[in-house]
Amino acid sequence: MEAPTIDIEFERYWSKLTLIQKESILSVIKSFAANGDSVTIKQYNNEIDDAVSRVEEGEFYTHEEVKKM
């Protein structure tokens, strides 16, 4: 697939995502764009703590909700 086509398709789907979904995908994109920079244990633990906090605040989808999507 050519880059312009991918960009157009990405923009089409991006606009359909929720804020939480966008944040999740952005974190993956950032990890790919890091050019192999390693993550420190402190940074890794902070990311886990952030994820746990979001779950505790109810910011997650159940398996059934994801299947419906």
Side-chain angles (χ1 to χ4, degrees), residues 11-48:
E11 288 175 12
R12 184 174 39 147
Y13 286 106
W14 184 258
S15 65
K16 296 178 181 183
L17 300 176
T18 67
L19 179 60
I20 293 170
Q21 292 168 324
K22 288 178 181 179
E23 288 173 344
S24 178
I25 291 172
L26 183 58
S27 70
V28 172
I29 292 170
K30 285 179 179 179
S31 72
F32 283 125
N35 295 325
D37 294 341
S38 61
V39 176
T40 65
I41 291 174
K42 182 177 179 179
Q43 183 180 0
Y44 178 77
N45 287 334
N46 286 340
E47 290 175 8
I48 291 173

Side-chain angles (χ1 to χ4, degrees), residues 18-24 49-62 65-66 69:
T18 67
L19 179 60
I20 293 170
Q21 292 168 324
K22 288 178 181 179
E23 288 173 344
S24 178
D49 291 341
D50 290 343
V52 169
S53 293
R54 287 193 306 271
V55 169
E56 288 172 346
E57 293 170 7
E59 295 182 28
F60 63 89
Y61 294 101
T62 65
E65 289 171 325
V66 172
M69 288 181 201

Side-chain angles (χ1 to χ4, degrees), residues 1-13:
M1 191 177 275
E2 295 179 25
T5 304
I6 292 172
D7 292 341
I8 292 168
E9 188 172 5
F10 183 86
E11 288 175 12
R12 184 174 39 147
Y13 286 106

